[in-house]
Amino acid sequence: MSTELETRNSKLETIGALLEMKSITKSFPGVRALDGVSFNLQSSEIHALVGENGAGKSTLIKILAGVYPHPEYGGEIVLDGSERRFASVRDSEKAGIAVIYQELSLVKELNFAENIFLGREPRRFGIINGEELYSRAQKLLDELQLQIDPRTPVINLGIGQQQLVEIAKALSQNARILVLDEPTAALTDTEVETLFRILTDLRARGVAMIYISHKLDEVFRISDRVTVLRDGKTIGTSATSQTDEPRIIAQMVGREVDQIFPEAKHERGEVVFEVRNVTVEDPSVPGKRLVDRVGFSVRKGEVLGIAGLMGSGRSELLMALFGAHSGRKSGDFFVNGKQIAINNPNEAISHGIGFVTEDRKRYGLILDQTILRNMTLAGLRNLSGRFITDEDAEAAAGERASSDLRIKATSVFTIAGTLSGGNQQKVVLAKWLLTNPRMLFLDEPTRGIDVGAKQEIYAQINRLAEAGLAIVLVSSELPEVLGLSDRVIVLHEGRVTGEFTRSEATPEAVMSCATGRARLAA
């Protein structure tokens, strides 16, 4: 921790709070989401707010943003020493509070400047003054040191630049408090660096920020203080210079975490699944290969990790192997030594393959259906009679799966869309386990879930391998691939550029192959 940040943290202890949220409570039918949460924010501070999914972070922020207006909650919001009661989002914005949600709220058909001043356009004689509109937008761009033409349509900007549009929009409203919800979830490393530079500059200018993230390395890098929520309660607030990741994780999950990844004791058996010369074409660009002559095998009881950078073809490979990719594909597939064809997901399922996709909300769940319906959707034939579904057997199987995976819900008849991200992921996993698979594809199995839920998923992956399941794991988090896999293959631009045993797979060696360079010696 730098001396500069330590000095800032010591000063923060003596400065009066810009914002205080005192004993905040909020209930939904059957659930107490917030139970006496207290939180404060000081001027020129980046204050991280962390906790497992379902801990109450989003609810607290929605109260601050006026989404849940007074008196729908209990407690006090004190701003500049005076109690404030926000009746709407507009009230909160007028008080200088801006929230940038993970799902951005931009009109992509409009350009940068039009989005910034949407609904607040400078006018002359009732007509939008285009010259002043673009002049103001350019001034904001100059303040943020961004090389973007204010006339650029937002749809032509990358996700990182779109997020900066949201920040510029907040600054145009003279926001004094900026709330950022998982701001780096979809950003590249370069975009993260740009974002952090801008946040540091804003802090120096007096803007206070609440930074919500599951990425604790970012929390410790950028924040002055960190507050932990668990089960709707404030667990504690610490200066980042006076705590560390293991302590924060222990506070988040309510227990000490000695080892992030479970010790693997996998007894590997015969080859269950093998592919040779798999090629997958881009459906929108004829002749372009997303996957180019890839081959691998995976054994019973083995976790095979697939590493690679974004765009390397990892997800496209799994989608094609499951029969779910729309592009042309070729290659030879073998299950237990017998050549098979997989042209669609039904054929993959019939050969004992399950697939936890990277986008659970789009491909893995029917959000407005119950946990039970989602769990049994793929394996219903195993739970039904010849002509009708055995509802008792279906419910019993769902209850067992829910208990085995420790899904936090009132019952299996809870609507899946109301669950936290980690619990939704467990439902997707349960769905495929109820098909009795011999092999499981896991594509980004812990994306968007908190550290506690991650560890439960890690433990479950380990148990499944120990029970003899063959697992193929794709993850953008290199420590995850290295910590869970018995072997690792690396893709670069659709081709295999390296293969490593668990002992050989160092971060440096894998990354060398992922960037297209030569394999480093172990």
Side-chain angles (χ1 to χ4, degrees), residues 452-494:
K454 278 186 178 183
Q455 289 203 298
E456 291 185 19
I457 295 291
Y458 295 158
Q460 186 65 33
I461 291 171
N462 199 43
R463 284 193 291 270
L464 292 173
E466 288 177 353
L469 207 62
I471 296 172
V472 177
L473 167 73
V474 164
S475 176
S476 296
E477 298 187 31
L478 186 55
E480 195 166 273
V481 174
L482 302 185
L484 293 171
S485 303
D486 298 298
R487 275 189 305 129
V488 176
I489 63 172
V490 187
L491 297 186
H492 172 71
E493 295 183 348

Side-chain angles (χ1 to χ4, degrees), residues 37-324:
V37 168
S38 293
F39 174 87
N40 69 73
L41 178 70
Q42 291 153 354
S43 296
S44 302
E45 176 190 24
I46 299 178
H47 193 143
L49 185 62
V50 301
E52 297 187 71
N53 286 335
K57 305 184 300 296
S58 296
T59 304
L60 184 69
I61 293 310
K62 286 178 179 178
I63 288 173
L64 178 62
V67 175
Y68 300 135
H70 192 274
E72 291 184 10
Y73 63 89
E76 293 180 87
I77 297 176
V78 178
L79 187 63
D80 292 324
S82 300
E83 184 180 358
R84 304 295 295 269
R85 296 182 176 182
F86 302 134
S88 65
V89 172
R90 180 66 68 187
D91 277 356
S92 177
E93 290 176 346
K94 285 180 180 178
I97 298 166
V99 180
I100 299 173
Y101 295 100
Q102 190 171 348
E103 276 136 19
L104 304 178
S105 57
L106 299 172
V107 181
K108 295 189 177 181
E109 291 71 24
L110 300 181
N111 65 32
F112 181 100
E114 290 166 338
N115 267 281
I116 295 297
F117 297 102
L118 186 62
R120 302 177 294 114
E121 298 89 348
R123 295 176 182 269
R124 185 183 176 113
F125 305 120
I127 300 173
I128 294 175
N129 187 333
E131 184 178 346
E132 186 176 354
L133 175 74
Y134 292 110
S135 175
R136 288 186 187 179
Q138 187 61 58
K139 184 179 179 182
L140 282 168
L141 285 165
D142 292 343
E143 288 179 8
L144 295 173
Q145 301 177 44
L146 297 178
Q147 302 299 316
I148 300 174
D149 186 330
R151 291 174 174 78
T152 304
V154 164
I155 198 169
N156 293 341
L157 299 176
I159 293 296
Q161 290 178 313
Q162 288 182 27
Q163 198 155 49
L164 298 178
V165 175
E166 291 272 25
I167 292 175
K169 187 174 181 179
L171 295 180
S172 75
Q173 298 170 321
N174 298 315
R176 296 185 300 151
I177 296 173
L178 198 59
V179 182
L180 300 109
D181 184 9
E182 296 290 349
T184 65
L187 304 191
T188 65
D189 290 344
T190 301
E191 289 170 335
V192 170
E193 293 303 320
T194 300
L195 176 66
F196 281 6
R197 174 187 61 76
I198 288 172
L199 297 188
T200 302
D201 290 345
L202 292 177
R203 176 170 58 190
R205 289 162 48 185
V207 178
M209 286 161 275
I210 300 173
Y211 189 93
I212 300 171
S213 179
H214 290 314
K215 299 179 180 180
L216 293 185
D217 58 331
E218 294 180 359
V219 166
F220 278 87
R221 179 180 168 189
I222 195 70
S223 69
D224 302 296
R225 289 190 297 159
V226 55
T227 290
V228 179
L229 299 187
R230 186 176 77 238
D231 297 330
K233 298 179 180 179
T234 307
I235 301 303
T237 298
S238 308
T240 50
S241 60
Q242 297 172 8
T243 188
D244 54 31
E245 286 195 28
R247 286 184 220 170
I248 294 298
I249 292 172
Q251 288 181 316
M252 288 169 64
V253 302
R255 61 186 185 275
E256 293 294 333
V257 182
D258 297 325
Q259 187 176 8
I260 295 177
F261 299 103
E263 183 180 354
K265 298 179 180 178
H266 307 157
E267 294 291 334
R268 285 176 285 173
E270 69 278 4
V271 172
V272 173
F273 187 67
E274 183 181 2
V275 298
R276 301 173 189 167
N277 296 315
V278 174
T279 296
V280 182
E281 292 188 8
D282 188 331
S284 58
V285 183
K288 180 181 178 181
R289 292 184 174 184
L290 302 174
V291 177
D292 189 5
R293 292 167 292 174
V294 167
F296 67 83
S297 63
V298 58
R299 295 177 176 274
K300 181 178 180 179
E302 179 181 38
V303 178
L304 174 69
I306 301 181
L309 301 176
M310 198 72 70
S312 62
R314 301 166 307 170
S315 295
E316 291 82 0
L317 174 62
L318 292 194
M319 291 282 279
L321 297 181
F322 194 66

Side-chain angles (χ1 to χ4, degrees), residues 373-448:
R373 179 60 57 87
N374 275 281
M375 280 183 175
T376 59
L377 197 59
L380 199 55
R381 69 182 64 181
N382 298 331
L383 304 168
S384 60
R386 186 170 182 181
F387 300 109
I388 60 173
T389 300
D390 185 336
E391 294 184 354
D392 290 339
E394 181 186 14
E399 292 286 0
R400 285 195 301 273
S402 181
S403 176
D404 290 345
L405 291 173
R406 296 197 289 181
I407 296 170
K408 295 179 182 177
T410 306
S411 75
V412 292
F413 300 103
T414 300
I415 298 299
T418 66
L419 300 177
S420 67
N423 285 300
Q424 287 182 357
Q425 192 73 333
K426 292 178 187 178
V427 173
V428 177
L429 183 56
K431 174 178 73 174
W432 292 112
L433 295 182
L434 287 175
T435 67
N436 297 318
R438 58 166 60 94
M439 127 151 243
L440 195 60
F441 296 160
L442 301 175
D443 191 0
E444 304 286 1
T446 65
R447 172 172 287 174

